[in-house]
């Protein structure tokens, strides 16, 4: 089953999608995303492509994103529709993965977020813990981090089984998500079209004769062959 929510949005043919991949995936294999793309193809909802070079296999694009540890978001295009006679449209999905770029690894633990921090967008306190974010682990309460109980997988790769993360772990994940999502949110929120220039010159194969679509619909239904032939004769 799809646990990303993308398939639901594809059925609605949404033009702009933001996906946050929060699954535990320290090696960036993107198995959850790859599974979703396969399901979309199996249901014939549409095709994914690399907007910067649609000639590439989409798996190569995913591999490159996985290897580029500093990449904060992945932009994929979606061509809705499957059959040549379908009415096609285009969508774009920006994927933000829970990952810690090497350039952020030395960041110290910051104070817990407050209402004022969120409303102002500024950190109201410069107080820092004497430990790095990458040292955070454990569960339940923050005292575990400094009292010899700081064991388990380290920030930011919290296993799904840990449903009792500490306030500081949650705080650090929130701050990381804010930092990583900035470029994707700006890109998807802009008023100008997201599509690349080359996409304006692609002809929609499904925008042709209504007869083509009707014949295709009948060929995939229980309509008798004689009725299909009659339709062809009446329109030829």
């Amino acid at each position: 089953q799809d646990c990303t929510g993308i398939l639901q949005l594809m059925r609605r043919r949404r033009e702009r999608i933001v996906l946050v991949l929060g699954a535990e995936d320290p090696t960036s294999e993107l198995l959850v995303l790859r599974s979703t793309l396969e399901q979309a193809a199996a249901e014939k909802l549409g095709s994914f492509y690399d907007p910067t070079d649609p000639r590439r296999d989409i798996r190569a694009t995913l591999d490159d994103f996985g290897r580029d540890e500093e990449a904060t978001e992945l932009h994929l295009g979606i061509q809705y529709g499957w059959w040549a006679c379908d009415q096609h449209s285009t969508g774009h999905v920006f994927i933000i993965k829970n990952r810690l770029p090497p350039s952020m690894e030395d960041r110290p633990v910051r104070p817990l977020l407050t209402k004022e921090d969120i409303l102002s967008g500024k950190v109201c306190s410069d107080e820092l813990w004497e430990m790095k974010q990458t040292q955070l682990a454990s569960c339940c309460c923050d005292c575990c981090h400094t009292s010899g109980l700081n064991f388990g997988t380290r920030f930011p790769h919290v296993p799904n089984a840990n449903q009792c993360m500490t306030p500081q772990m949650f705080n650090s994940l929130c701050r990381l998500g804010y930092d990583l999502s900035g470029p994707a949110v700006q890109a998807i929120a802009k008023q100008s079209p997201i599509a690349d220039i080359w996409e304006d010159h692609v002809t929609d194969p499904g925008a042709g004769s209504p007869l083509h679509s009707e014949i295709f619909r009948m060929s995939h239904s229980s309509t008798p062959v004689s009725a299909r032939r009659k339709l062809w004769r009446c329109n030829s």
Side-chain angles (χ1 to χ4, degrees):
Q1 297 295 324
D2 171 38
C3 61
T4 67
I6 285 185
L7 296 186
Q8 292 289 344
L9 297 173
M10 289 184 67
R11 296 185 185 105
R12 303 172 193 171
R13 293 199 170 199
R14 306 308 300 175
E15 294 182 5
R16 302 186 181 198
I17 300 173
V18 173
L19 168 64
V20 177
L21 279 177
E24 183 184 12
D25 183 20
T27 57
S28 296
E29 296 181 44
L30 304 174
L31 297 181
V32 170
L33 179 60
R34 294 174 191 270
S35 175
T36 298
L37 268 56
E38 292 177 0
Q39 290 182 61
E43 294 187 26
K44 296 179 173 51
L45 295 175
S47 305
F48 288 85
Y49 61 90
D50 183 345
T52 62
D53 188 352
R55 298 170 299 178
R56 301 188 71 201
D57 190 305
I58 195 64
R59 293 170 295 185
T61 301
L62 298 182
D63 288 344
D64 276 351
F65 177 72
R67 294 178 61 184
D68 185 358
E69 297 180 349
E70 286 291 340
T72 58
E73 81 280 343
L74 173 63
H75 176 198
L76 298 181
I78 306 174
Q79 183 193 43
Y80 291 116
W82 190 263
W83 306 103
C85 59
D86 284 347
Q87 292 297 321
H88 293 79
S89 59
T90 301
H92 292 269
V93 54
F94 289 85
I95 301 162
I96 305 162
K97 184 187 181 301
N98 178 31
R99 72 195 312 182
L100 187 65
S103 58
M104 299 183 183
E105 289 181 350
D106 290 332
R107 290 188 176 185
V109 173
R110 305 304 301 266
L112 296 179
L113 285 168
T114 65
K115 179 179 179 180
E116 290 71 25
D117 292 336
I118 296 172
L119 292 178
S120 67
K122 300 178 181 179
V123 178
C124 299
S125 172
D126 57 3
E127 177 186 356
L128 302 176
W129 281 30
E130 294 183 357
M131 64 185 306
K132 297 179 181 180
Q133 292 183 103
T134 50
Q135 294 176 292
L136 292 174
S138 191
C139 62
C140 295
C141 58
D142 285 338
C143 63
C144 297
H145 297 303
T146 56
S147 60
L149 298 175
N150 190 47
F151 55 85
T153 55
R154 304 288 167 165
F155 173 87
H157 303 292
V158 183
N160 296 336
N162 184 0
Q163 298 296 304
C164 301
M165 66 179 68
T166 67
Q168 189 52 256
M169 177 69 83
F170 180 74
N171 167 69
S172 298
L173 287 172
C174 289
R175 292 180 181 276
L176 176 63
Y178 178 82
D179 292 337
L180 295 182
S181 63
V185 171
Q186 292 178 5
I188 205 168
K190 66 179 184 180
Q191 298 297 321
S192 56
I194 298 179
D196 206 306
I197 297 177
W198 66 265
E199 297 185 62
D200 295 332
H201 303 282
V202 177
T203 303
D204 179 5
S209 168
L211 173 62
H212 188 192
S213 297
E214 179 63 15
I215 292 296
F216 179 84
R217 183 191 67 79
M218 295 174 66
S219 66
H220 285 72
S221 66
S222 57
T223 305
V225 176
S226 58
R228 292 180 230 160
R229 291 174 176 171
K230 181 178 180 181
L231 179 62
W232 273 114
R233 286 196 299 269
C234 292
N235 290 274
S236 61

